[in-house]
Amino acid sequence: QVQLVESGGGSVQAGGSLRLSCAAFGYASSMYAMGWFRQAPGKEREGVAAIEGDSIGDSITSYVDSVKGRFAISKDNAKNTLYLQMNSLKPEDTATYYCAADPLMRRLRGGHPSYWGQGTQVTVSS
């Protein structure tokens, strides 16, 4: 059974940093596209960052424009864990952050991955 367990959320002042982790159970993370989504109160869920491996073993990453240069997604396949390093946080980054995974990147990018974590809250105060 596939399970994703997030950790690392919390409260921080604007300009601060947090690192989210997502431990994956029940499958090999190297075989799946993985990503982070977020949902703020009253807003639709949006994709924040995604990562997948290419044919030669490198990782391909992508980010929503609003976090480019501030957030970094990475994956440790040996630990089956996905990370999101968030720097220079802004109040508008406040949201519940969700880890997601799917064998197909197109389903992840489309917002319909097969697996979701339970979410972790990130609150950024001004």
Side-chain angles (χ1 to χ4, degrees):
Q1 182 177 349
V2 174
Q3 188 177 12
L4 302 173
V5 180
E6 299 108 331
S7 61
S11 297
V12 65
Q13 289 192 327
S17 298
L18 284 173
R19 188 176 82 155
L20 305 183
S21 299
C22 172
F25 302 92
Y27 71 97
S29 63
S30 61
M31 303 298 291
Y32 279 56
M34 298 187 73
W36 292 95
F37 291 75
R38 66 185 179 186
Q39 187 167 22
K43 294 188 176 181
E44 292 188 355
R45 185 167 54 200
E46 68 168 347
V48 175
I51 186 168
E52 65 175 335
D54 65 11
S55 60
I56 60 172
D58 291 332
S59 293
I60 302 171
T61 60
S62 58
Y63 300 91
V64 68
D65 285 346
S66 60
V67 308
K68 285 180 180 178
R70 300 189 298 121
F71 289 12
I73 188 171
S74 61
K75 189 169 57 162
D76 185 333
N77 290 329
K79 295 182 178 179
N80 245 24
T81 300
L82 178 73
Y83 302 99
L84 184 67
Q85 178 66 44
M86 304 185 294
N87 299 324
S88 302
L89 282 161
K90 303 176 181 180
E92 51 263 44
D93 295 318
T94 295
T96 301
Y97 284 70
Y98 298 90
C99 172
D102 198 281
L104 299 177
M105 176 58 86
R106 60 178 174 82
R107 281 206 294 255
L108 190 76
R109 290 188 187 283
H112 300 288
S114 297
Y115 308 105
W116 292 95
Q118 81 285 357
T120 186
Q121 179 66 36
V122 171
T123 302
V124 185
S125 58
S126 57

